[in-house]
Amino acid sequence: MNKPTVLILMGSDSDLSTMEETAKVFTEFGVPYEIHVASAHRSPVKTAKLASEAAGRGIQVIIAAAGVAAHLAGVVAAETTLPVIGVPMAGGALNGVDALYAMVQMPGGIPVGTMAIGKAGAKNAGLFAVQILSLSTPELRNKLAAYKIKMAEEVEQKDQALQATRQG
């Protein structure tokens, strides 16, 4: 098995059903990854260690998923020079909006690229990580180009099916 190039961190195991969308993207593109539960608040030492040692282990991108206060992505970004992508989890009193705000309101100097709340954000985090990795991997660039063509073809097929039902 290839060494992981992406690290997925989740603040809770309850985030797994959402973050499986990210894992599906990596499986489709053949990107090796690892996934851990690590909380910014409940396991700060573990979180800091995973983030600070990631680059030395060959990780190139970190994805951090968390809900409510959602400090995980910011704490991770403070511990590494690697790109960090945040995925706000739905739930809590504000259904993920609080997590989104926590991720996008990072202080200057600690950037976190933030995706949409929930499964769409988890999928896009995976695709964004693949785009970052494709900067140095022509094979991934080719796979991304084919992926976009496939999406366009699927839309065209759906439109043709719609048009056929509307004319009949």
Side-chain angles (χ1 to χ4, degrees):
M1 183 175 159
N2 292 336
K3 276 179 77 170
T5 55
V6 180
L7 170 61
I8 302 170
L9 298 175
M10 304 177 298
S12 169
D13 63 342
S14 64
D15 301 333
L16 182 59
S17 63
T18 298
M19 295 312 294
E20 285 175 340
E21 295 299 315
T22 308
K24 287 178 191 174
V25 169
F26 294 146
T27 299
E28 180 176 350
F29 282 89
V31 172
Y33 67 95
E34 62 182 56
I35 188 166
H36 296 274
V37 175
S39 170
H41 304 111
R42 295 181 298 267
S43 61
V45 173
K46 175 183 180 177
T47 300
K49 182 176 178 171
L50 283 165
S52 66
E53 294 177 356
R57 295 187 300 103
I59 299 295
Q60 296 178 44
V61 180
I62 300 174
I63 298 173
V68 194
H71 293 133
L72 182 60
V75 167
V76 168
E79 293 285 346
T80 186
T81 57
L82 296 173
V84 176
I85 304 169
V87 180
M89 295 290 103
L94 300 177
N95 201 29
V97 173
D98 46 353
L100 174 66
Y101 285 164
M103 289 181 192
V104 298
Q105 295 294 342
M106 292 302 299
I110 310 294
V112 171
T114 305
M115 299 294 125
I117 297 167
K119 289 188 176 193
K123 180 176 184 176
N124 282 342
L127 288 167
F128 192 53
V130 171
Q131 288 177 322
I132 292 169
L133 295 170
S134 78
L135 293 171
S136 61
T137 311
E139 178 185 342
L140 282 178
R141 268 195 306 276
N142 294 337
K143 287 181 179 181
L144 279 165
Y147 178 84
K148 290 196 173 222
I149 290 168
K150 180 181 168 191
M151 280 194 310
E153 289 170 350
E154 288 171 354
V155 169
E156 185 58 31
Q157 290 170 359
K158 289 176 184 179
D159 184 51
Q160 288 176 4
L162 173 66
Q163 298 312 312
T165 61
R166 304 281 298 162
Q167 293 173 2

